[in-house]
Every structure is written in C-alpha cells, then in structure tokens.
Amino acid sequence: ENSRMRVLPFLSLAAAIRVPHVNMGLFDALTSKAPRYGPPVVIGEESLMSQKAHGTSEVPVQKDLRWNCGADLADRICNFNRHYAENAGYWERSTTFLKEEEANTEEITFFDSNSGDPLFYGPRGRTWQSFVKESRSHGWPSFRDAEVNWDYVRVLPDGECVSTAGTHLGHNLPDGTGNRYCINLVSVAGRPADGPVERHIGPKA
C-alpha cells in the first residue's frame, strides 16, 4: 500500500502536465513486489507458510511457554495467522517478561514457540534499557539486524517475518535507522529443543 501511495501522486502529476513518456523502468521498480530488503536480510519463499499438519507449522506451540505467555493465543498467532498480532503492550503488561529478565545479566535467547529453534538474541549491540525503550515505544519487542539468527528467520517480500518452521513471528518495519523486526513475544517464547533455557550467547549490555 505504501509503495502505491508513493507512486500515484507521481503518475497524477505526469498526466496533469502531459509528459509524453513515463519511465516504465522507474514505475516497475516502484511498484515491484520483488524483495525490498538488502543484506543481512534473508528473503523467504511463500511456500514456508504453506498449510501443514497444524496450520502453517507441523506441530502446535509448546505447552509450557516462557514468561507466562498464553498458549492458546500463541497457537492462533503462530500457526493460524498471517497478519494479526498480540495486543500492543501484551509483552509488557500481560507477561512476566520484564520482571524475569530485568535482573538477568546475560543476553537473552528467544526461541521459536513451535520448534524451539533460536531466533533472536538480545539485547545485542545496545543496552537493555535501549531495547526496552524501543519495544515500549512501538508496543512489541523490537529487534535489529544484529539480533536476528538468519539460520532460522526469514522475511517474505511483503515484510512478514516467519521462521523456517512456518511460525508467524511479526513484520519487518524499517525506520530511519534500519530494519526493525516487530515481533510477537508469544511467537518467540519457546524453550530450546535440545537443552535447558539457560543458554546465552554472551553478556547483556
């Protein structure tokens, strides 16, 4: 929608002044559905979100999600949804995330609520306070490029963020400082498939 909104005034102006030739290469570039994200973003195929045994995933969400996230809500958002999200502020007001993690001195690993794959690490390259401030300002946990595990995270051409297991995560909503991955906490509240949660990559800033 945003790209169309940017193109329409340009075309109206061209028509109004009767420009004899519109650069269709520019038009195609502005209206193309091709990936709009450069490295390090890994673009995924729509087939990742094809129907499987349980919605877009092979399995339901884990029963014992972290931070007291609701399993029913998580299952709907992760496996039977492409566009909707947990309520703004849910991660802050309806879970124990902040209470549990504020005192944690290590980097947090966020695991896929279905598969248990590690998807995000944070905060990385910034302080805990900065991560929380940005997430609060947008209403959802917000990650940056350095905090994404591209082994398991993909961005579809329309900006939808998904996991390689078919879990809907959220959307990439770039701003003036770069890519910003607006992610549902219920989608990344899983536990690792091959070990305890107490696995951290490094110190939390």
Side-chain angles (χ1 to χ4, degrees):
E1 292 296 328
N2 288 339
S3 62
R4 284 198 291 271
M5 289 173 65
R6 289 194 295 270
V7 172
L8 287 175
F10 169 77
L11 294 181
S12 297
L13 178 61
I17 62 178
R18 297 181 180 177
V19 175
H21 175 71
V22 175
N23 185 330
M24 294 311 293
L26 173 61
F27 176 80
D28 290 341
L30 290 171
T31 60
S32 173
K33 292 184 178 180
R36 295 172 288 124
Y37 313 107
V41 174
V42 178
I43 300 298
E45 300 291 334
E46 178 64 29
S47 58
L48 284 171
M49 301 302 283
S50 63
Q51 289 299 300
K52 305 180 184 71
H54 190 78
T56 56
S57 305
E58 294 292 351
V59 295
V61 297
Q62 299 172 8
K63 294 181 179 179
D64 186 22
L65 295 175
R66 297 161 74 188
W67 307 304
N68 201 35
C69 288
D72 289 342
L73 174 64
D75 202 48
R76 290 197 302 272
I77 289 177
C78 292
N79 300 317
F80 299 95
N81 162 64
R82 302 293 304 278
H83 306 290
Y84 298 102
E86 65 196 23
N87 289 335
Y90 172 89
W91 70 281
E92 179 183 2
R93 295 187 291 271
S94 300
T95 76
T96 59
F97 175 75
L98 289 179
K99 181 179 179 181
E100 288 187 41
E101 300 299 344
E102 266 184 325
N104 178 19
T105 59
E106 296 182 299
E107 189 176 82
I108 305 162
T109 302
F110 296 82
F111 298 95
D112 191 316
S113 292
N114 286 314
S115 67
D117 294 325
L119 303 180
F120 298 93
Y121 307 114
R124 178 174 286 184
R126 55 177 169 167
T127 65
W128 165 254
Q129 290 76 16
S130 176
F131 169 76
V132 171
K133 181 180 179 180
E134 180 173 54
S135 299
R136 277 178 169 156
S137 70
H138 295 290
W140 290 267
S142 295
F143 299 92
R144 294 294 176 168
D145 286 335
E147 298 168 321
V148 184
N149 182 358
W150 294 110
D151 288 342
Y152 298 105
V153 175
R154 298 289 183 269
V155 176
L156 302 190
D158 66 354
E160 182 184 4
C161 293
V162 304
S163 77
T164 55
T167 305
H168 172 81
L169 305 176
H171 289 82
N172 181 15
L173 303 172
D175 58 19
T177 61
N179 294 307
R180 181 178 65 83
Y181 308 93
C182 190
I183 303 299
N184 296 289
L185 186 65
V186 297
S187 298
V188 294
R191 298 177 185 275
D194 58 353
V197 168
E198 291 76 21
R199 296 189 308 165
H200 299 280
I201 303 303
K204 187 170 75 175

